[in-house]
Structure formats: C-alpha cells, structure tokens
C-alpha cells in the first residue's frame, strides 16, 4: 500500500508544539501532514476534530507533551498499518525524559502506566476482560482512517480514560492492539504532588464515566460507590506498605506511598463522579 499518507493529530491546550512539530518533521518517515487542535477539550473531542481536518490514510495520534524517542518512531509505528488492512491499532512505549526531576523519577518507579517498557519484539496487548489492561496509550498510537471512522471515533465526553474506552470498544469489534518494538516517546511524569493527585483524580472521574456507559466493566464494590469509598479509605495506610495494583492484580510487599496516594485519588474521583451521575439520573 505504498503512497498512502500519514496524518499526525496533536491535541494541545495552548497550541505550543514547536518542539514536537520539529521532531516529527525530522523523522526518517515524517508525517505527510501535522494537524494541531488547540484549545479544544476533552482530548477525545480534540482528536476527533483533528481527524475531521486531516486527509491521511493513516492517523497517528501523539500528545503535545511527548517527543519521539528517536528518528524512527513514525516509521516503526505506521509500518504494520501500511503493510496491510487488517484490524490493527499500533502504539509506542513511553519513558520519562532523561532530564526528569528526582520527584518525577520517584513517580515513575511507583505509579503504574507512567512508563511503558520498550519491547524488542512485537507485543500484542489486548484489553480483554476481566482487567482490560493494555500497554498501548494514545500518547502515541496509530490506526487506519477507515477503521477509526467505522468505530465512531473517540468518545468526546470523557474527561479521562479516552484511550481505554476506545481500545476496549475496538477490541470488541475484533481489533488487535500491537506495541511496536524499538519505538517509544519521551513523556514527562507530573512535576509535583498536586499535579499527580489531580491527574489521578481525573482518571477516576473518567473511569466512572466509562462504567456509566459500560456497566459490565465494573468490578466488585465499584457498583456501590459509598461502600467502595469506605473500603478504599480503610486500606489506604496498608496500601502504602502492601500495595495493590489493578494494572497487575496482586498484593505485594513494598513501600509505595505515591502508589497508594494516586490509587486513593482515583478512587475519590471515581466516587465523586459516580455520585454526580446518580443525582443526574
């Protein structure tokens, strides 16, 4: 399928993407067009608008605060899509930049999904039940335009969890999700505790929005928000020393205060949004 074009879609709060634009233009296989959508939120709405303004056969989504890990990123991420028309979504790993602060390195050590390890072989990572985990994120992911449009695009209402909701929907439609080898972006961790807390609180808000539309994904006490909050409050301190990860479901010994705090922030966001939704019904 030679001659197909690649459109890079960049949602941005303020439109300041000069470093990313320059890095994409310097790729061995640069995008044929770069569409920046500034000042539109949530991210799902911004990405959908970018797709509507673009023309490429392959859609490459990349966040405005990410940078390609090397000059081969675009070529590697889009290569499986250019090779055929199977139902496939590809993505890159992500690492925090080498000049990250001590706090950001601490966050990356403790908090899941801040970093995704670069793989040496293609890794199929499908969000299947019961945990719906995947190593792909929309920090950098690609899909064929016709497949994106057939799926109906991103959910334009979710404040967070846009990638998870889209990937689960795509998986149910028969898509495979592939983490591409030797491909990564540099993506910063939150710079301070306030930003980290806010990020995960909003993750919880987005997760509650997802479950309102897809109740089958709720687990355990998530169906009873107040009991869920009591449970998460009760285990907050034990979680510092015996952290539990929904991303890798098991308890383990270890001192992980940031992991416990972010998990609790997400629980608070989830309960807050769940109660709001209940009052609106």
């Amino acid at each position: 399928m030679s001659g197909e074009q690649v459109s890079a879609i960049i949602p941005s709060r303020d439109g300041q993407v000069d470093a990313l634009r320059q890095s994409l233009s310097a790729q061995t296989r640069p995008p044929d067009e770069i569409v920046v959508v500034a000042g539109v939120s949530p991210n799902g709405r911004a990405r959908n608008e970018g797709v509507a303004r673009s023309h490429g056969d392959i859609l490459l989504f990349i966040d405005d605060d990410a940078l390609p890990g090397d000059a081969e990123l675009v070529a590697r991420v889009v290569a499986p899509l250019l090779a055929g028309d199977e139902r496939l979504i590809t993505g890159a790993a992500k690492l925090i930049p080498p000049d990250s602060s001590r706090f950001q390195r601490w966050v990356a050590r403790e908090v899941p999904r801040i970093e995704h390890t670069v793989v040496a072989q293609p890794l199929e990572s499908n969000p299947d039940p019961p945990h719906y985990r995947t190593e792909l994120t929309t920090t950098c992911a690609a899909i064929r335009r016709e497949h994106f449009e057939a799926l109906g695009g991103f959910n334009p209402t979710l404040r967070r969890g846009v990638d998870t909701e889209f990937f689960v929907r795509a998986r149910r439609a028969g898509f495979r999700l592939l983490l591409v080898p030797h491909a990564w972006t540099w993506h910063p961790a939150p710079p301070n505790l306030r930003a980290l807390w806010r990020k995960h609180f909003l993750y919880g808000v987005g997760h509650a929005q997802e479950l309102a539309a897809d109740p089958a994904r709720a687990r355990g006490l998530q169906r009873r928000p107040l009991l869920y909050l009591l449970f998460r409050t009760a285990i907050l301190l034990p979680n510092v020393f015996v952290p539990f990860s929904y991303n890798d479901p098991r308890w383990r010994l270890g001192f992980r205060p940031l992991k416990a705090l972010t998990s609790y922030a997400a629980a608070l966001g989830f309960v807050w949004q769940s109660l709001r939704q209940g009052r609106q019904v």
Side-chain angles (χ1 to χ4, degrees):
M1 296 189 179
S2 59
E4 292 191 298
Q5 294 192 330
V6 176
S7 297
I9 312 296
I10 307 171
S12 176
R13 181 173 299 177
D14 57 12
Q16 302 300 311
V17 297
D18 289 348
L20 176 54
R21 186 186 291 274
Q22 292 172 10
S23 185
L24 289 174
S25 297
Q27 292 281 294
T28 57
R29 201 293 180 207
D32 298 281
E33 66 174 345
I34 297 174
V35 178
V36 179
V37 182
V40 175
S41 63
N43 265 350
R45 188 185 307 277
R47 294 188 181 110
N48 290 346
E49 183 174 315
V51 172
R53 288 163 43 187
S54 69
H55 304 90
D57 307 284
I58 305 294
L59 304 171
L60 174 70
F61 298 100
I62 186 164
D63 286 352
D64 65 339
D65 56 350
L67 287 174
D70 65 12
E72 299 293 330
L73 174 73
V74 174
R76 287 175 175 145
V77 170
V78 304
L81 301 173
L82 292 171
D85 59 357
E86 61 180 314
R87 293 187 168 192
L88 191 67
I89 301 174
T90 60
K94 63 178 182 178
L95 303 174
I96 62 171
D99 61 352
S100 295
S101 70
R102 180 178 297 181
F103 178 81
Q104 289 171 312
R105 294 195 297 271
W106 181 20
V107 171
R109 286 195 302 271
E110 290 196 15
V111 180
R113 297 181 65 81
I114 295 295
E115 290 193 306
H116 293 255
T117 304
V118 181
V119 295
Q121 301 293 330
L123 175 66
E124 192 162 327
S125 183
N126 299 317
D128 294 329
H131 303 298
Y132 299 97
R133 299 190 308 274
T134 177
E135 290 297 314
L136 271 69
T137 74
T138 46
T139 302
C140 180
I143 185 173
R144 298 189 66 83
R145 175 184 293 275
E146 66 264 30
H147 291 155
F148 180 83
E149 292 174 345
L151 287 167
F154 289 105
N155 185 318
T157 65
L158 296 181
R159 296 192 65 185
R160 287 291 192 277
V162 177
D163 51 354
T164 305
E165 190 277 338
F166 181 77
F167 291 153
V168 168
R169 186 157 31 96
R171 180 59 178 163
R172 287 172 175 166
F175 282 77
R176 296 164 47 236
L177 279 69
L178 188 72
L179 191 66
V180 176
H182 309 297
W184 77 99
T185 60
W186 299 116
H187 189 257
N192 53 54
L193 188 58
R194 179 178 178 179
L196 181 67
W197 178 274
R198 182 177 186 276
K199 182 183 183 75
H200 283 78
F201 182 89
L202 291 176
Y203 279 153
V205 169
H207 188 52
Q209 290 179 308
E210 288 182 75
L211 297 193
D214 188 3
R217 288 181 53 197
R219 288 178 288 183
L221 290 176
Q222 288 181 335
R223 297 178 178 87
R224 306 181 67 182
L226 291 178
L227 286 178
Y228 179 68
L229 178 60
L230 287 174
F231 170 71
R232 295 307 300 265
T233 301
I235 68 169
L236 174 58
L237 185 58
N239 225 358
V240 172
F241 302 96
V242 190
F244 178 83
S245 173
Y246 284 102
N247 195 49
D248 180 17
R250 60 190 173 117
W251 300 89
R252 68 194 73 184
L253 291 174
F255 183 63
R256 298 287 187 272
L258 287 184
K259 170 66 181 70
L261 285 173
T262 56
S263 181
Y264 191 63
L268 289 176
F270 175 83
V271 172
W272 181 80
Q273 180 63 24
S274 296
L275 294 177
R276 284 186 73 233
Q277 290 166 173
R279 288 195 296 268
Q280 292 167 0
V281 172

